[in-house]
Amino acid sequence: MLESWAPIGMFFILVSGFGIVSLIMSYAFGVKKPDPRKLSPYECGVHPIGTARERFSVKFYLVAMLFLLFDIEAVFLFPWAVVYRDLKLFGFFEMLPFMVAILAGYIYAWKKGALEWER
């Protein structure tokens, strides 16, 4: 049984070794010339405003969760659409509860105002 795990163990050792050797080589041979401009955060050419510890609105996280919800919906809908002709009516009725649940979530978010960024 141990023989079947040998390739996975070798791969883990190889990946870990590569990561450790890369970090050591970067630290040993990297150029170290600290400069205030190098150490400042880079934000697409715009000077940073405020601190990194600012609080975000709950709306930001709500929009992020809605994005994940509809992204997962697309992940499930694509394979279903590919084999829809083979599944025929059975496939339609199997996907219908999923679609109804997603639609209910969308309507709930819409009614709660989650899709409106500013009120």
Side-chain angles (χ1 to χ4, degrees):
M1 183 170 133
L2 193 56
E3 296 86 25
S4 63
W5 288 94
I8 295 172
M10 291 297 290
F11 182 72
F12 180 72
I13 290 170
L14 182 70
V15 168
S16 299
F18 179 76
I20 291 170
V21 167
S22 296
L23 287 172
I24 291 171
M25 296 291 274
S26 172
Y27 181 75
F29 299 113
V31 179
K32 297 171 190 70
K33 293 183 182 176
D35 185 338
R37 287 185 292 170
K38 278 184 173 180
L39 299 175
S40 69
Y42 180 73
E43 297 181 8
C44 302
V46 178
H47 294 292
I49 299 170
T51 67
R53 303 288 184 235
E54 289 183 25
R55 291 180 174 247
F56 286 101
S57 171
V58 174
K59 290 280 190 184
F60 175 80
Y61 298 107
L62 190 56
V63 168
M65 287 191 298
L66 286 172
F67 172 76
L68 288 175
L69 172 75
F70 293 114
D71 194 37
I72 290 171
E73 174 192 12
V75 167
F76 283 115
L77 279 178
F78 183 74
W80 172 75
V82 169
V83 296
Y84 180 71
R85 287 188 180 163
D86 297 335
L87 297 176
K88 300 194 184 349
L89 206 52
F90 172 76
F92 175 74
F93 285 115
E94 284 295 315
M95 191 52 106
L96 195 60
F98 176 71
M99 293 298 293
V100 167
I102 294 294
L103 184 64
Y106 179 72
I107 292 171
Y108 177 78
W110 188 5
K111 294 290 184 186
K112 286 290 185 179
L115 302 176
E116 297 173 14
W117 192 255
E118 296 197 20
R119 285 195 242 185

